[in-house]
Amino acid sequence: ETGVTQTPRHLVMGMTNKKSLKCEQHLGHNAMYWYKQSAKKPLELMFVYSLEERVENNSVPSRFSPECPNSSHLFLHLHTLQPEDSALYLCASSTQGLAGGPLEQFFGPGTRLTVL
Amino acid sequence: SQQGEEDPQALSIQEGENATMNCSYKTSINNLQWYRQNSGRGLVHLILIRSNEREKHSGRLRVTLDTSKKSSSLLITASRAADTASYFCATDARGSTLGRLYFGRGTQLTVWP
């Protein structure tokens, strides 16, 4: 266990559904991340939150909507997804590094999303 | 882009052998990290090496960094079947958003009993 939990672990949804992914960390970290992992592709950073403010939105379609209500929780709201959005969605958290660059990130187990 | 590229894409060895994976990147970095991922699970941090370090050890892991060649290697000694996983290098890029890491596609390591 890394101290980062994600729910649900598996999700199957139709293209017209609305669902949310949840991530929780109690490691005292001040940065949280959403990544998308598709087969045969590098891990894609979707969103970065630092001190509950979104500091990066990596050209992600608006059908993905993140929310960070506090430093321990991160959500990814999903609506009108496409089949190509099927992937493993990973949440991570870290302490923001300063002069020494980014520090290690702690990942959750991921949510396996299938869009029909 | 800055993302690291691991080589080889796949590596298959017998238990007890050493496994070496390489990573190349493009721009100056503050540090380089290696992660491991078991199938369908989250990534687990293995080791971080700073740009002013050349070699680092952690248990059976040995990481080297050559900033002049913009490359790193991860050596797993005396491999075990439980080492079977995908291994990723991750780099930052100087001047980029704090905390932003660039990952490669990974090396799939299979260790046969």
Side-chain angles (χ1 to χ4, degrees):
Chain A
E1 291 295 327
T2 61
V4 180
T5 59
Q6 288 186 245
T7 54
R9 294 293 308 278
H10 299 271
L11 178 62
V12 179
M13 59 187 287
M15 289 192 284
T16 58
N17 291 158
K18 287 185 180 182
K19 296 286 183 184
S20 295
L21 310 184
K22 179 182 176 183
C23 176
E24 190 169 349
Q25 62 93 5
H26 295 287
L27 300 169
H29 291 161
N30 55 13
M32 296 186 78
Y33 313 82
W34 278 117
Y35 289 90
K36 175 183 178 182
Q37 187 176 36
S38 306
K40 310 294 183 188
K41 284 186 167 183
L43 210 58
E44 299 173 51
L45 179 65
M46 299 175 73
F47 301 104
V48 180
Y49 275 83
S50 175
L51 299 173
E52 299 151 45
E53 281 192 42
R54 191 192 309 179
V55 297
E56 185 157 341
N57 174 348
N58 215 23
S59 303
V60 178
S62 59
R63 56 185 184 269
F64 295 91
S65 174
E67 179 190 0
C68 187
N70 56 61
S71 60
S72 299
H73 294 86
L74 185 65
F75 294 89
L76 188 62
H77 303 299
L78 316 171
H79 64 99
T80 58
L81 294 191
Q82 305 297 312
E84 60 265 28
D85 296 322
S86 297
L88 182 67
Y89 288 84
L90 293 163
C91 171
S93 70
S94 74
T95 298
Q96 284 284 30
L98 296 173
L103 301 178
E104 64 179 290
Q105 294 185 8
F106 291 75
F107 284 79
T111 294
R112 173 68 62 186
L113 173 66
T114 303
V115 181
L116 301 175
Chain B
S1 72
Q2 169 62 344
Q3 66 197 38
E5 290 294 335
E6 294 89 350
D7 172 64
Q9 289 186 11
L11 180 60
S12 188
I13 59 174
Q14 294 290 132
E15 263 192 330
E17 294 180 342
N18 295 341
T20 300
M21 289 159 269
N22 302 297
C23 169
S24 59
Y25 57 92
K26 293 196 172 105
T27 68
S28 296
I29 61 172
N30 290 297
N31 65 53
L32 183 144
Q33 303 178 36
W34 284 91
Y35 288 80
R36 163 199 168 121
Q37 182 181 34
N38 286 69
S39 180
R41 307 278 301 181
L43 280 71
V44 176
H45 182 265
L46 294 176
I47 197 164
L48 181 155
I49 186 166
R50 300 198 182 282
S51 59
N52 60 356
E53 297 175 308
R54 290 296 165 258
E55 188 171 312
K56 203 161 181 180
H57 296 255
S58 176
R60 292 185 296 113
L61 305 180
R62 173 179 167 247
V63 169
T64 62
L65 179 64
D66 186 336
T67 52
S68 66
K69 295 181 179 175
K70 293 187 170 58
S71 67
S72 173
S73 67
L74 171 67
L75 169 68
I76 303 174
T77 59
S79 63
R80 305 166 182 167
D83 294 328
T84 295
S86 292
Y87 292 82
F88 297 85
C89 69
T91 59
D92 68 337
R94 284 185 193 267
S96 69
T97 304
L98 285 177
R100 203 221 194 280
L101 291 177
Y102 297 82
F103 289 83
R105 287 180 174 79
T107 292
Q108 173 60 52
L109 173 66
T110 303
V111 182
W112 298 100

